[in-house]
Amino acid sequence: MPTTDVLLNEDQRVELSQIAQSRSLPAGYVFRARLILLLDAGASYNAIKQQLRTTAPTISRWKVRFLRSGIDGLDTRHPGQSATVLTPRLRAKILSATRKKPQDGSTHWSCRKLAAVLGVSKDAVHRTWKEAGLKPHRLERYLASDDPNFETKAADILGLYLNPPRHAAVFCVDEKTAIQALDRLDPVLPLSPGRAERHGFEYFRHGTLSLYAALDTATGRVHGKTTPRHTSREFIAFLHEVVARCPGNQQIHIILDNLSAHKTTLVKEFLQQNPRVHFHFTPTYSSWLNQVELWFAKIEREVIARGVFTSVSDLARKLRRYINAYSANARPFRWKYSDPTRRIRSNEFAATGH
């Protein structure tokens, strides 16, 4: 430890006393002023350590700095990293490197990883990405329709949403297959303040069932039916239920996908026996045009994903209960299509609904 004593002149003592009593200056600066005043008063290292709750090396460091530079030596010296100037050349370099795969085998860049490779700050990389709208950590998936009649089929379905035939019924029909009746082996811990609902990891699979659903686009109400399988016969039985719910002279338009069970000989015979029923098939890989898919997403989130089912019949009962409650307060979907890059040449389509 330095043996040279700290001896303040009157001006230094007054200035350090003002700093030590300040409530607006940085706490570290006030601490160092108090430390020097205690050294000037002849306090021992042990006394200073107890009073200021510090260590001997800290006392020695600031004592040496004060003896060398006076009060100016009490300032902290953190020059920090020099600012990176984002020149057009540097931006181009960052953007070019971002579009290439990392050489370490990883699939995408992070700010820090790319900054280390290019020798720039991570903030420069982050600003460049933000300006360019780049988000390497994100991934989007797509499935393009290969249907040569995409526009014709899509326009037909959108027309049913926007301007349905007068006095006709329009239903969106589909099936949600292989819904599992999962039962948790451990008790469910309920939601409580500061803790989310918790499910045990292990489960028991009681079996599966399929759910047929017909969404009435005018009212938003859903007619559903659970079945152990999803065959053409089950599909036709469900269609009979849908038709029976409509007046005898009403035209019925049904929007559905291209599942093979929807195009069998039995289905063709059903259409011949029921000439007032008209099928409208969505283009291939375009199930998003079918409004019932929106409803399937809701029942997946609100019933199936976190549900606990003690049997297949329990699963069927809870699905029917949800369908009844939903239909009692149903409203049509607010569905719109406004992306011209998706091959439908039209202004914004907007339908009624949620």
Side-chain angles (χ1 to χ4, degrees):
M1 297 180 185
T3 56
T4 306
D5 293 332
V6 173
L7 298 175
L8 302 176
N9 58 40
E10 189 61 30
D11 291 339
Q12 289 176 325
R13 190 173 291 110
V14 170
E15 184 174 356
L16 287 174
S17 296
Q18 292 174 346
I19 295 171
Q21 297 172 14
S22 174
R23 294 187 177 182
S24 59
L25 292 174
Y29 198 41
V30 173
F31 163 82
R32 293 186 286 275
R34 295 178 60 191
L35 187 151
I36 299 302
L37 287 171
L38 289 172
L39 289 173
D40 176 60
S44 66
Y45 271 37
N46 286 334
I48 297 174
K49 285 161 56 177
Q50 292 179 0
Q51 185 168 344
L52 298 184
R53 296 181 180 179
T54 186
T55 62
T58 301
I59 299 172
S60 297
R61 181 169 66 253
W62 291 110
K63 178 179 179 180
V64 170
R65 289 195 185 184
F66 178 79
L67 292 175
R68 183 183 302 155
S69 305
I71 294 179
D72 291 340
L74 301 183
D75 288 332
T76 54
R77 298 170 184 174
H78 297 293
Q81 185 177 0
S82 57
T84 302
V85 179
L86 272 176
T87 62
R89 182 175 181 180
L90 179 57
R91 283 189 176 89
K93 182 179 179 181
I94 293 173
L95 294 176
S96 177
T98 303
R99 293 172 62 87
K100 301 175 183 177
K101 295 291 185 182
Q103 297 299 314
D104 61 357
S106 56
T107 59
H108 59 278
W109 293 105
S110 67
C111 280
R112 287 178 172 81
K113 182 184 291 186
L114 184 58
V117 170
L118 298 181
V120 299
S121 70
K122 65 177 181 61
D123 293 328
V125 175
H126 180 265
R127 290 202 304 273
T128 302
W129 285 357
K130 186 176 182 180
E131 291 171 1
L134 292 176
K135 299 178 181 180
H137 66 285
R138 296 193 59 182
L139 173 68
E140 294 183 356
R141 302 186 186 276
Y142 73 95
L143 182 62
S145 174
D146 58 359
D147 195 323
N149 299 316
F150 176 88
E151 289 190 3
T152 302
K153 293 180 180 180
D156 176 43
I157 292 171
L158 294 175
L160 290 173
Y161 292 156
L162 294 172
N163 189 24
R166 185 173 297 181
H167 307 306
V170 179
F171 292 97
C172 293
V173 173
D174 202 358
E175 54 268 293
K176 188 173 181 64
T177 61
I179 304 174
Q180 299 187 77
L182 299 182
D183 190 6
R184 298 292 164 182
L185 297 182
D186 299 309
V188 174
L189 302 181
L191 175 75
S192 62
R195 188 180 71 179
E197 178 180 304
R198 293 191 289 178
H199 289 205
F201 180 78
E202 294 185 299
Y203 59 84
F204 181 82
R205 186 183 291 110
H206 289 287
T208 63
L209 56 72
S210 295
L211 172 64
Y212 285 91
L215 172 73
D216 187 337
T217 60
T219 63
R221 288 193 291 269
V222 175
H223 173 63
K225 177 184 179 182
T226 57
T227 63
R229 303 172 61 194
H230 62 287
T231 64
S232 181
R233 292 186 181 278
E234 297 286 358
F235 175 59
I236 292 173
F238 179 68
L239 290 180
H240 279 295
E241 293 185 7
V242 174
V243 171
R245 299 172 66 87
C246 301
N249 59 347
Q250 188 177 37
Q251 295 293 307
I252 303 172
H253 297 266
I254 295 179
I255 298 168
L256 69 169
D257 61 23
N258 295 274
L259 186 69
S260 59
H262 300 164
K263 299 181 177 181
T264 64
T265 303
L266 292 176
V267 174
K268 293 177 182 178
E269 292 176 357
F270 168 82
L271 293 175
Q272 292 175 355
Q273 297 168 5
N274 296 271
R276 65 191 183 111
V277 177
H278 310 278
F279 279 5
H280 302 262
F281 291 101
T282 60
T284 56
Y285 308 129
S286 302
S287 60
W288 46 270
L289 281 169
N290 195 333
Q291 288 188 7
V292 77
E293 297 293 346
L294 301 175
W295 183 81
F296 276 146
K298 286 178 64 66
I299 197 171
E300 172 68 29
R301 289 193 307 268
E302 299 179 8
V303 180
I304 300 171
R306 288 170 51 177
V308 178
F309 311 106
T310 58
S311 64
V312 172
S313 59
D314 180 49
L315 169 60
R317 179 180 59 81
K318 290 178 178 177
L319 291 175
R320 289 194 298 269
R321 182 177 65 183
Y322 177 84
I323 292 171
N324 293 336
Y326 179 89
S327 295
N329 301 283
R331 290 178 296 170
F333 283 103
R334 293 190 184 279
W335 195 93
K336 64 181 180 179
Y337 189 98
S338 58
D339 186 355
T341 65
R342 301 296 283 273
R343 297 169 52 192
I344 294 184
R345 299 190 187 99
S346 173
N347 294 326
E348 180 174 285
F349 288 99
T352 58
H354 277 323

